[in-house]
Amino acid sequence: MKVIAIVISLLIIPMVSAKTELSKLVEYVQTTYADSFKDYPILVFDMDEVEYRYAVAKVFGSSKELEKKRQEIIKQYVFEKVGVELSNNEASTYEMYTTILKNGAYAMPTLVDGPNRKKVYKMCAVFPASPNSNQRLETERITGLKTPGAYKDVTFTGLQEKLEYREMQLFSLYHELGHCMDRIYMPQNYNTYEVDAHSVHESESYAEVFALMMLEREGLQGTGRTRALLRNLYTQEMGQWFIDNPQNAFGNQLYLKGGLIYYLAPSLLATDEFVSRNRGFVKGAVDELLLKAGEIVKEYSVDGRSFNAIHRAMNEGHEKMINEYQEWSTRNPSFFTRAYKDLLHFLDYSPYLYEFIVGNTPDSNEGSELDKLGAEEFCSLEKSDFMNYMDLKREELKVEGSSYASQQERQAELNEIFMSWSNCL
């Protein structure tokens, strides 16, 4: 019945808008926040608009010729939106995030040579996560919950706390915007010959803290604790999985330390406490939020030596590292006392947080079947009606009660719907 109600409610709305809900969200974030940032242009990519342009130009496909045509569309799109002229190589980088990587969320600066041999930003692009999702599918994406062998008995149904899909969508979008607005950690990382995992951890902490404050600013209050528990769950389960599967890393330290990079719970919980006591603060200037994010990360993100100590404990064994750092903190307290204390704290506190969210109730994979998308439904539609049709099908995906296999199939269909529509034109 809920599916029928949504279908009826959407059908009675006059179909006059050529913008999807994603396009409207991107436009709001662009005009309200991205355009107000004056250090360099920031562009939030409206992937529905970009893929629409691909569809009309009939440039879907893997050939080099089609890839170059997509790059030209990207160059025109970026120039229209923020007045930046991209080179062919720069457009090639962005094109990748609109095709093979389009289902993830990313922040990607374009760099040019600046003073003192430093790289500076020509612009920064935000690529939102795919809107073809729902609460379960998005939770699985951000936690890696379906990674074979990683989570053992942990299930989505068993999770004791969850975020709504809208909350996760905005968290992801403002997280990537936070990366682009970051004046501290991201620029340092791009001016380092080989960025280390701890620096990436600080950068991720910064973006996450900023995102939480932005959600509070937009009226979505009280998401910090659950977000912290989800991030900690990732650290515990995926962090160990990365370590246990070094063959996938090809020596990449960022991969091996991927779980600890996203140990963002301390920074999130500190931010949650701050905003709960300072509700008016998040309504102020965005630059003040950016400054506050830097302060919180400096105080609550994992210290560099502590980061290495914790990773070694996850990799080499808890007891061995406790004994080693206890001895080092006695011999050289100025260097190792904090690392020893932080190690003990993590080994106690992270499993404590884990117990608040983990559950092993079996997933419910049964339910009604979502109708398959048929070319006969959308082939004859003009842009405005096609965008409304797509929103309708995305809303159906979000309604509870459909089978998991059906959800996955609908997501896959929506991920390719612009290409399918292009074949009709």
Side-chain angles (χ1 to χ4, degrees):
M1 292 299 293
K2 291 177 71 176
V3 173
I4 295 174
I6 285 181
V7 171
I8 293 174
S9 67
L10 287 173
L11 289 177
I12 63 176
I13 298 173
M15 293 188 179
V16 297
S17 173
K19 293 184 181 294
T20 61
E21 291 304 311
L22 172 68
S23 295
K24 294 173 186 176
L25 173 60
V26 167
E27 183 178 49
Y28 170 76
V29 174
Q30 182 70 45
T31 57
T32 308
Y33 299 116
D35 288 345
S36 300
F37 191 78
K38 301 305 181 185
D39 293 24
Y40 40 80
I42 294 176
L43 176 59
V44 184
F45 268 64
D46 179 354
M47 280 304 302
D48 283 347
E49 177 61 27
V50 171
E51 288 209 272
Y52 168 78
R53 296 188 186 200
Y54 287 172
V56 171
K58 291 184 174 293
V59 294
F60 288 106
S62 58
S63 73
K64 287 295 182 181
E65 180 183 358
L66 292 172
E67 184 179 324
K68 288 180 179 179
K69 289 181 178 180
R70 290 195 295 270
Q71 292 168 17
E72 290 301 317
I73 291 173
I74 290 292
K75 289 166 71 174
Q76 181 179 358
Y77 176 78
V78 170
F79 185 75
E80 285 179 16
K81 297 298 181 181
V82 292
V84 173
E85 294 186 8
L86 296 178
S87 68
N88 291 335
N89 285 339
E90 292 164 349
S92 174
T93 298
Y94 284 171
E95 186 274 339
M96 181 173 60
Y97 290 96
T98 68
T99 51
I100 61 175
L101 297 176
K102 70 178 183 178
N103 294 329
Y106 310 94
M108 179 53 57
T110 293
L111 306 173
V112 293
D113 292 330
N116 302 319
R117 298 184 179 180
K118 286 188 175 182
K119 295 291 185 180
V120 297
Y121 286 19
K122 180 177 181 178
M123 65 169 287
C124 191
V126 172
F127 296 92
S130 169
N132 304 323
S133 193
N134 59 24
Q135 185 188 40
R136 178 173 178 176
L137 295 172
E138 186 66 4
T139 301
E140 291 174 353
R141 184 185 76 83
I142 66 173
T143 60
L145 193 57
K146 288 298 181 178
T147 303
Y151 278 86
K152 305 176 183 67
D153 296 328
V154 181
T155 63
F156 169 78
T157 301
L159 295 180
Q160 301 302 299
E161 295 191 31
K162 300 182 179 79
L163 290 174
E164 297 296 329
Y165 171 69
R166 179 68 170 178
E167 294 169 337
M168 288 185 284
Q169 182 186 37
L170 291 180
F171 237 118
S172 174
L173 179 53
Y174 284 122
H175 177 106
E176 303 308 331
L177 181 65
H179 276 313
C180 277
M181 290 185 166
D182 178 4
R183 297 181 175 105
I184 307 170
Y185 300 106
M186 281 274 280
Q188 289 177 357
N189 290 347
Y190 279 102
N191 277 289
T192 301
Y193 177 73
E194 185 175 1
V195 65
D196 63 279
H198 177 254
S199 296
V200 178
H201 164 71
E202 291 180 314
S203 176
E204 294 300 331
S205 299
Y206 184 92
E208 195 82 341
V209 166
F210 176 76
L212 177 53
M213 288 193 286
M214 290 299 289
L215 258 66
E216 293 280 336
R217 182 187 184 92
E218 292 296 323
L220 293 176
Q221 298 181 346
T223 62
R225 169 189 159 88
T226 303
R227 184 73 169 189
L229 294 177
L230 287 168
R231 290 301 199 185
N232 182 71
L233 177 68
Y234 182 90
T235 296
Q236 284 286 313
E237 298 285 11
M238 288 302 297
Q240 195 60 52
W241 187 86
F242 290 137
I243 290 170
D244 292 342
N245 292 273
Q247 69 278 2
N248 298 329
F250 301 104
N252 188 318
Q253 290 300 305
L254 298 185
Y255 176 93
L256 294 173
K257 298 177 181 178
L260 193 52
I261 283 173
Y262 284 94
Y263 182 54
L264 311 178
S267 295
L268 280 165
L269 292 172
T271 308
D272 188 55
E273 179 186 22
F274 173 79
V275 296
S276 68
R277 295 181 178 180
N278 301 274
R279 292 291 182 196
F281 176 82
V282 295
K283 298 296 185 181
V286 173
D287 268 352
E288 293 300 315
L289 273 62
L290 293 168
L291 289 172
K292 188 63 183 179
E295 294 174 6
I296 291 174
V297 170
K298 185 176 181 179
E299 183 171 357
Y300 291 98
S301 66
V302 180
D303 173 75
R305 289 195 183 92
S306 304
F307 187 92
N308 289 329
I310 293 168
H311 180 261
R312 289 190 63 196
M314 295 174 70
N315 187 31
E316 301 175 41
H318 296 181
E319 186 175 352
K320 176 184 176 182
M321 283 305 105
I322 289 173
N323 293 335
E324 190 169 300
Y325 275 84
Q326 183 182 52
E327 180 181 352
W328 288 355
S329 66
T330 303
R331 292 183 177 182
N332 200 339
S334 63
F335 275 88
F336 294 108
T337 296
R338 178 175 178 177
Y340 175 54
K341 290 181 177 179
D342 288 348
L343 172 61
L344 293 176
H345 179 72
F346 173 85
L347 294 178
D348 175 68
Y349 189 56
S350 185
Y352 169 76
L353 293 178
Y354 178 88
E355 293 301 323
F356 278 103
I357 193 170
V358 70
N360 57 8
T361 303
D363 278 326
S364 174
N365 294 316
E366 302 301 319
S368 61
E369 296 301 305
L370 292 167
D371 293 334
K372 293 185 178 181
L373 305 187
E376 68 279 2
E377 290 185 319
F378 58 76
C379 263
S380 61
L381 298 179
E382 299 296 328
K383 179 180 181 181
S384 180
D385 290 335
F386 177 73
M387 297 299 189
N388 278 283
Y389 170 84
M390 192 160 54
D391 268 347
L392 171 63
K393 297 307 176 182
R394 286 170 174 169
E395 286 301 317
E396 290 177 356
L397 178 59
K398 296 173 190 173
V399 177
E400 296 179 5
S402 57
S403 72
Y404 182 59
S406 185
Q407 293 174 38
Q408 291 178 304
E409 185 175 359
R410 172 61 63 85
Q411 183 180 53
E413 289 175 323
L414 285 170
N415 286 343
E416 302 300 328
I417 192 169
F418 278 102
M419 183 171 65
S420 299
W421 187 54
S422 180
N423 293 333
C424 308
L425 301 179

